[in-house]
Structures are given as structure tokens and as C-alpha cells.
Short mmCIF file of all heavy atoms in Angstrom, two decimals:
data_model
loop_
_atom_site.label_atom_id
_atom_site.label_comp_id
_atom_site.label_asym_id
_atom_site.label_seq_id
_atom_site.Cartn_x
_atom_site.Cartn_y
_atom_site.Cartn_z
N PRO A 4 0.89 -1.18 0.03
CA PRO A 4 0.01 0.00 0.03
C PRO A 4 0.87 1.22 -0.02
O PRO A 4 1.90 1.33 0.57
CB PRO A 4 -0.80 -0.17 1.23
CG PRO A 4 -0.01 -0.98 2.19
CD PRO A 4 0.74 -1.96 1.30
N LEU A 5 0.38 2.23 -0.59
CA LEU A 5 1.13 3.51 -0.75
C LEU A 5 0.56 4.62 0.12
O LEU A 5 -0.77 4.66 0.18
CB LEU A 5 1.12 4.03 -2.22
CG LEU A 5 1.99 3.18 -3.25
CD1 LEU A 5 1.74 3.83 -4.61
CD2 LEU A 5 3.46 3.33 -2.84
N ALA A 6 1.25 5.42 0.65
CA ALA A 6 0.85 6.57 1.42
C ALA A 6 0.12 7.53 0.38
O ALA A 6 0.65 7.57 -0.79
CB ALA A 6 1.92 7.24 2.18
N GLU A 7 -0.77 8.25 0.81
CA GLU A 7 -1.57 9.21 -0.06
C GLU A 7 -0.64 10.18 -0.83
O GLU A 7 -0.79 10.49 -1.98
CB GLU A 7 -2.57 10.03 0.71
CG GLU A 7 -3.37 10.97 -0.08
CD GLU A 7 -4.45 10.26 -1.00
OE1 GLU A 7 -4.71 9.09 -0.82
OE2 GLU A 7 -4.79 10.92 -1.96
N ASP A 8 0.44 10.63 -0.07
CA ASP A 8 1.27 11.73 -0.68
C ASP A 8 2.27 11.21 -1.71
O ASP A 8 3.00 11.95 -2.31
CB ASP A 8 1.98 12.51 0.41
CG ASP A 8 2.93 11.69 1.30
OD1 ASP A 8 2.73 10.43 1.18
OD2 ASP A 8 3.70 12.25 2.05
N VAL A 9 2.37 9.93 -1.84
CA VAL A 9 3.35 9.37 -2.87
C VAL A 9 2.61 8.54 -3.95
O VAL A 9 3.31 8.01 -4.81
CB VAL A 9 4.38 8.47 -2.18
CG1 VAL A 9 5.35 9.32 -1.29
CG2 VAL A 9 3.84 7.27 -1.52
N ARG A 10 1.30 8.50 -3.95
CA ARG A 10 0.62 7.86 -5.00
C ARG A 10 0.84 8.56 -6.29
O ARG A 10 0.99 9.77 -6.32
CB ARG A 10 -0.91 7.82 -4.63
CG ARG A 10 -1.32 6.86 -3.54
CD ARG A 10 -2.82 6.94 -3.23
NE ARG A 10 -3.55 6.76 -4.41
CZ ARG A 10 -4.83 7.08 -4.65
NH1 ARG A 10 -5.57 7.69 -3.61
NH2 ARG A 10 -5.53 6.83 -5.77
N PRO A 11 0.89 7.87 -7.42
CA PRO A 11 1.11 8.53 -8.69
C PRO A 11 0.01 9.56 -9.03
O PRO A 11 0.28 10.55 -9.70
CB PRO A 11 1.19 7.34 -9.72
CG PRO A 11 0.54 6.23 -9.13
CD PRO A 11 0.73 6.39 -7.64
N ILE A 12 -1.21 9.22 -8.64
CA ILE A 12 -2.28 10.22 -8.84
C ILE A 12 -3.17 10.30 -7.63
O ILE A 12 -3.22 9.33 -6.85
CB ILE A 12 -3.18 9.87 -10.05
CG1 ILE A 12 -3.80 8.44 -9.87
CG2 ILE A 12 -2.43 9.91 -11.35
CD1 ILE A 12 -4.78 8.06 -10.97
N ARG A 13 -3.84 11.37 -7.43
CA ARG A 13 -4.69 11.56 -6.26
C ARG A 13 -5.60 12.79 -6.48
O ARG A 13 -5.39 13.56 -7.34
CB ARG A 13 -3.87 11.76 -5.00
CG ARG A 13 -2.81 12.77 -5.05
CD ARG A 13 -1.87 12.75 -3.80
NE ARG A 13 -0.78 13.72 -4.02
CZ ARG A 13 0.35 13.57 -4.66
NH1 ARG A 13 0.59 12.41 -5.27
NH2 ARG A 13 1.30 14.53 -4.71
N PRO A 14 -6.63 12.96 -5.62
CA PRO A 14 -7.52 14.13 -5.84
C PRO A 14 -6.78 15.37 -5.60
O PRO A 14 -5.87 15.47 -4.77
CB PRO A 14 -8.59 13.89 -4.69
CG PRO A 14 -8.56 12.43 -4.36
CD PRO A 14 -7.11 12.06 -4.56
N GLY A 15 -7.18 16.41 -6.35
CA GLY A 15 -6.67 17.78 -6.11
C GLY A 15 -5.26 17.97 -6.71
O GLY A 15 -4.57 18.95 -6.27
N MET A 16 -4.93 17.24 -7.69
CA MET A 16 -3.54 17.56 -8.26
C MET A 16 -3.72 18.74 -9.05
O MET A 16 -4.70 19.19 -9.61
CB MET A 16 -3.22 16.36 -9.23
CG MET A 16 -3.16 14.96 -8.47
SD MET A 16 -2.50 13.70 -9.56
CE MET A 16 -0.78 14.12 -9.60
N GLU A 17 -2.55 19.53 -9.25
CA GLU A 17 -2.53 20.79 -9.88
C GLU A 17 -2.50 20.74 -11.46
O GLU A 17 -1.61 20.01 -12.04
CB GLU A 17 -1.31 21.61 -9.51
CG GLU A 17 -1.33 21.99 -7.99
CD GLU A 17 -2.16 23.38 -7.89
OE1 GLU A 17 -2.36 24.02 -8.79
OE2 GLU A 17 -2.42 23.63 -6.60
N GLY A 18 -3.50 21.25 -12.11
CA GLY A 18 -3.53 21.31 -13.55
C GLY A 18 -3.06 22.78 -13.94
O GLY A 18 -2.40 23.48 -13.23
N GLY A 19 -3.57 23.26 -15.12
CA GLY A 19 -3.32 24.55 -15.56
C GLY A 19 -2.34 24.70 -16.68
O GLY A 19 -1.97 25.81 -17.14
N ARG A 20 -1.76 23.55 -17.30
CA ARG A 20 -0.87 23.73 -18.34
C ARG A 20 -1.38 23.93 -19.64
O ARG A 20 -0.76 24.44 -20.56
CB ARG A 20 -0.05 22.38 -18.36
CG ARG A 20 0.86 22.09 -17.14
CD ARG A 20 1.53 20.76 -17.17
NE ARG A 20 2.41 20.54 -16.00
CZ ARG A 20 1.97 20.16 -14.78
NH1 ARG A 20 0.71 19.88 -14.68
NH2 ARG A 20 2.82 19.96 -13.87
N TYR A 21 -2.71 23.67 -19.79
CA TYR A 21 -3.42 23.91 -21.13
C TYR A 21 -4.24 25.21 -20.99
O TYR A 21 -5.05 25.30 -20.12
CB TYR A 21 -4.33 22.79 -21.47
CG TYR A 21 -5.13 23.00 -22.72
CD1 TYR A 21 -4.54 23.20 -23.96
CD2 TYR A 21 -6.43 23.00 -22.72
CE1 TYR A 21 -5.22 23.45 -25.09
CE2 TYR A 21 -7.22 23.26 -23.84
CZ TYR A 21 -6.62 23.48 -25.07
OH TYR A 21 -7.31 23.68 -26.18
N THR A 22 -3.89 26.11 -21.87
CA THR A 22 -4.58 27.46 -21.88
C THR A 22 -4.91 27.83 -23.22
O THR A 22 -4.12 28.47 -23.92
CB THR A 22 -3.66 28.50 -21.23
OG1 THR A 22 -2.34 28.44 -21.88
CG2 THR A 22 -3.36 28.21 -19.80
N PRO A 23 -6.13 27.63 -23.68
CA PRO A 23 -6.55 27.92 -25.09
C PRO A 23 -6.67 29.44 -25.33
O PRO A 23 -6.69 29.91 -26.52
CB PRO A 23 -7.92 27.22 -25.27
CG PRO A 23 -8.42 27.00 -23.98
CD PRO A 23 -7.19 26.80 -23.09
N LEU A 24 -6.91 30.22 -24.19
CA LEU A 24 -6.98 31.63 -24.27
C LEU A 24 -5.72 32.40 -23.89
O LEU A 24 -5.13 32.03 -22.89
CB LEU A 24 -8.19 32.10 -23.41
CG LEU A 24 -9.61 31.54 -23.74
CD1 LEU A 24 -10.56 31.97 -22.63
CD2 LEU A 24 -10.09 32.06 -25.13
N ALA A 25 -5.38 33.34 -24.71
CA ALA A 25 -4.19 34.17 -24.34
C ALA A 25 -4.67 35.21 -23.29
O ALA A 25 -5.79 35.43 -23.07
CB ALA A 25 -3.64 34.92 -25.54
N ALA A 26 -3.62 35.82 -22.59
CA ALA A 26 -3.93 36.77 -21.54
C ALA A 26 -4.85 37.89 -22.02
O ALA A 26 -5.78 38.29 -21.36
CB ALA A 26 -2.63 37.35 -20.98
N ASN A 27 -4.55 38.40 -23.25
CA ASN A 27 -5.35 39.49 -23.83
C ASN A 27 -6.78 38.96 -24.06
O ASN A 27 -7.74 39.79 -23.95
CB ASN A 27 -4.73 39.95 -25.09
CG ASN A 27 -5.45 41.13 -25.65
OD1 ASN A 27 -5.61 42.16 -24.99
ND2 ASN A 27 -5.85 41.07 -26.99
N ASP A 28 -6.96 37.70 -24.47
CA ASP A 28 -8.29 37.14 -24.68
C ASP A 28 -9.07 37.21 -23.41
O ASP A 28 -10.33 37.55 -23.44
CB ASP A 28 -8.19 35.69 -25.20
CG ASP A 28 -7.50 35.56 -26.46
OD1 ASP A 28 -7.55 36.51 -27.28
OD2 ASP A 28 -6.88 34.50 -26.73
N LEU A 29 -8.54 36.93 -22.31
CA LEU A 29 -9.15 36.91 -21.01
C LEU A 29 -9.73 38.26 -20.69
O LEU A 29 -10.87 38.47 -20.22
CB LEU A 29 -8.28 36.29 -19.97
CG LEU A 29 -7.75 34.92 -20.07
CD1 LEU A 29 -6.65 34.68 -19.07
CD2 LEU A 29 -8.85 33.93 -19.98
N GLU A 30 -8.78 39.26 -20.87
CA GLU A 30 -9.22 40.66 -20.60
C GLU A 30 -10.33 41.11 -21.51
O GLU A 30 -11.32 41.81 -21.04
CB GLU A 30 -8.02 41.53 -20.89
CG GLU A 30 -6.91 41.38 -19.87
CD GLU A 30 -7.14 42.03 -18.41
OE1 GLU A 30 -8.24 42.62 -18.30
OE2 GLU A 30 -6.41 41.75 -17.55
N ARG A 31 -10.37 40.76 -22.77
CA ARG A 31 -11.37 41.16 -23.68
C ARG A 31 -12.78 40.44 -23.34
O ARG A 31 -13.79 41.13 -23.40
CB ARG A 31 -10.94 40.79 -25.07
CG ARG A 31 -9.81 41.56 -25.68
CD ARG A 31 -9.46 41.17 -27.02
NE ARG A 31 -10.45 41.57 -28.08
CZ ARG A 31 -10.56 41.12 -29.25
NH1 ARG A 31 -9.72 40.20 -29.70
NH2 ARG A 31 -11.57 41.51 -30.02
N ILE A 32 -12.68 39.20 -22.99
CA ILE A 32 -13.85 38.53 -22.48
C ILE A 32 -14.39 39.20 -21.17
O ILE A 32 -15.65 39.46 -21.12
CB ILE A 32 -13.57 37.04 -22.17
CG1 ILE A 32 -13.43 36.29 -23.49
CG2 ILE A 32 -14.73 36.41 -21.39
CD1 ILE A 32 -12.96 34.83 -23.39
N HIS A 33 -13.59 39.58 -20.27
CA HIS A 33 -13.99 40.17 -19.06
C HIS A 33 -14.72 41.61 -19.38
O HIS A 33 -15.72 41.88 -18.83
CB HIS A 33 -12.80 40.39 -18.17
CG HIS A 33 -13.09 41.28 -16.96
ND1 HIS A 33 -14.08 40.84 -15.96
CD2 HIS A 33 -12.49 42.44 -16.44
CE1 HIS A 33 -14.07 41.78 -15.04
NE2 HIS A 33 -13.20 42.69 -15.28
N GLU A 34 -14.09 42.32 -20.24
CA GLU A 34 -14.66 43.56 -20.62
C GLU A 34 -16.01 43.43 -21.34
O GLU A 34 -16.95 44.19 -21.05
CB GLU A 34 -13.69 44.35 -21.59
CG GLU A 34 -14.20 45.75 -21.99
CD GLU A 34 -14.37 46.74 -20.75
OE1 GLU A 34 -13.68 46.51 -19.72
OE2 GLU A 34 -15.23 47.65 -20.86
N ALA A 35 -16.14 42.46 -22.17
CA ALA A 35 -17.39 42.18 -22.88
C ALA A 35 -18.50 41.79 -21.86
O ALA A 35 -19.66 42.23 -21.88
CB ALA A 35 -17.25 41.02 -23.90
N VAL A 36 -18.02 41.00 -20.82
CA VAL A 36 -19.03 40.61 -19.72
C VAL A 36 -19.50 41.85 -19.04
O VAL A 36 -20.71 42.05 -18.75
CB VAL A 36 -18.33 39.58 -18.80
CG1 VAL A 36 -19.15 39.47 -17.50
CG2 VAL A 36 -18.17 38.29 -19.53
N LEU A 37 -18.61 42.67 -18.51
CA LEU A 37 -19.04 43.92 -17.83
C LEU A 37 -20.01 44.80 -18.60
O LEU A 37 -20.92 45.36 -18.10
CB LEU A 37 -17.83 44.60 -17.41
CG LEU A 37 -16.87 43.99 -16.36
CD1 LEU A 37 -15.65 44.87 -16.08
CD2 LEU A 37 -17.62 43.66 -15.12
N THR A 38 -19.65 44.88 -19.93
CA THR A 38 -20.47 45.64 -20.77
C THR A 38 -22.02 45.10 -20.82
O THR A 38 -22.96 45.85 -20.69
CB THR A 38 -19.94 45.76 -22.20
OG1 THR A 38 -18.66 46.40 -22.07
CG2 THR A 38 -20.87 46.56 -23.15
N LEU A 39 -22.07 43.83 -20.98
CA LEU A 39 -23.44 43.17 -21.10
C LEU A 39 -24.15 43.36 -19.76
O LEU A 39 -25.32 43.59 -19.73
CB LEU A 39 -23.28 41.69 -21.42
CG LEU A 39 -22.83 41.40 -22.90
CD1 LEU A 39 -22.60 39.89 -23.05
CD2 LEU A 39 -24.03 41.83 -23.79
N LEU A 40 -23.48 43.20 -18.68
CA LEU A 40 -24.17 43.28 -17.35
C LEU A 40 -24.66 44.62 -17.08
O LEU A 40 -25.66 44.91 -16.41
CB LEU A 40 -23.23 42.73 -16.25
CG LEU A 40 -22.88 41.28 -16.33
CD1 LEU A 40 -22.00 40.91 -15.13
CD2 LEU A 40 -24.18 40.35 -16.33
N GLU A 41 -23.88 45.62 -17.60
CA GLU A 41 -24.32 47.07 -17.36
C GLU A 41 -25.46 47.53 -18.31
O GLU A 41 -26.31 48.33 -17.90
CB GLU A 41 -23.17 48.00 -17.60
CG GLU A 41 -22.23 48.13 -16.39
CD GLU A 41 -21.16 49.26 -16.52
OE1 GLU A 41 -20.66 49.52 -17.63
OE2 GLU A 41 -21.07 50.00 -15.56
N THR A 42 -25.37 47.00 -19.54
CA THR A 42 -26.26 47.48 -20.54
C THR A 42 -27.49 46.61 -20.82
O THR A 42 -28.61 47.03 -21.18
CB THR A 42 -25.50 47.67 -21.92
OG1 THR A 42 -24.94 46.48 -22.35
CG2 THR A 42 -24.34 48.68 -21.61
N VAL A 43 -27.39 45.32 -20.81
CA VAL A 43 -28.41 44.33 -21.09
C VAL A 43 -29.10 43.81 -19.85
O VAL A 43 -30.30 43.87 -19.68
CB VAL A 43 -27.86 43.19 -21.93
CG1 VAL A 43 -29.00 42.18 -22.23
CG2 VAL A 43 -27.26 43.69 -23.29
N GLY A 44 -28.27 43.41 -18.94
CA GLY A 44 -28.80 42.94 -17.61
C GLY A 44 -29.74 41.61 -17.73
O GLY A 44 -29.67 40.96 -18.73
N PHE A 45 -30.46 41.39 -16.74
CA PHE A 45 -31.23 40.15 -16.57
C PHE A 45 -32.78 40.37 -16.43
O PHE A 45 -33.12 41.32 -15.75
CB PHE A 45 -30.78 39.39 -15.34
CG PHE A 45 -29.68 38.37 -15.58
CD1 PHE A 45 -28.49 38.81 -16.22
CD2 PHE A 45 -29.91 37.03 -15.35
CE1 PHE A 45 -27.50 37.91 -16.34
CE2 PHE A 45 -28.84 36.14 -15.54
CZ PHE A 45 -27.68 36.54 -16.04
#
């Protein structure tokens, strides 16, 4: 049996290596979101 901290996989492992959006894309999406919430609303 293996201790939890040396198992090859376990819950809560860190991801984040795949990023389909560039940093500028994230900012543009955020700005579009704020515009819609101010002008269109729910």
C-alpha cells in the first residue's frame, strides 16, 4: 500500500498547463461581460 502523498495520482492534483485563451483574450472577455451586465442585464 502507498501513502496518499506518494501515490502517482490523487484528488486535487494541480493542472493549468493547457490554456486555449491568451492573456489578452481573457481581458477582452471580461470587458465584454461587464458591458453586457451594465447594458443588457437580466
Side-chain angles (χ1 to χ4, degrees):
L5 289 175
E7 182 70 20
D8 61 347
V9 296
R10 290 176 55 198
I12 58 173
R13 52 191 176 274
M16 302 186 76
E17 290 274 348
R20 293 174 178 84
Y21 175 60
T22 53
L24 298 172
N27 185 55
D28 297 333
L29 300 171
E30 293 285 356
R31 294 179 68 196
I32 289 172
H33 174 57
E34 184 61 30
V36 166
L37 294 179
T38 298
L39 286 174
L40 294 182
E41 279 194 317
T42 61
V43 177
F45 268 59

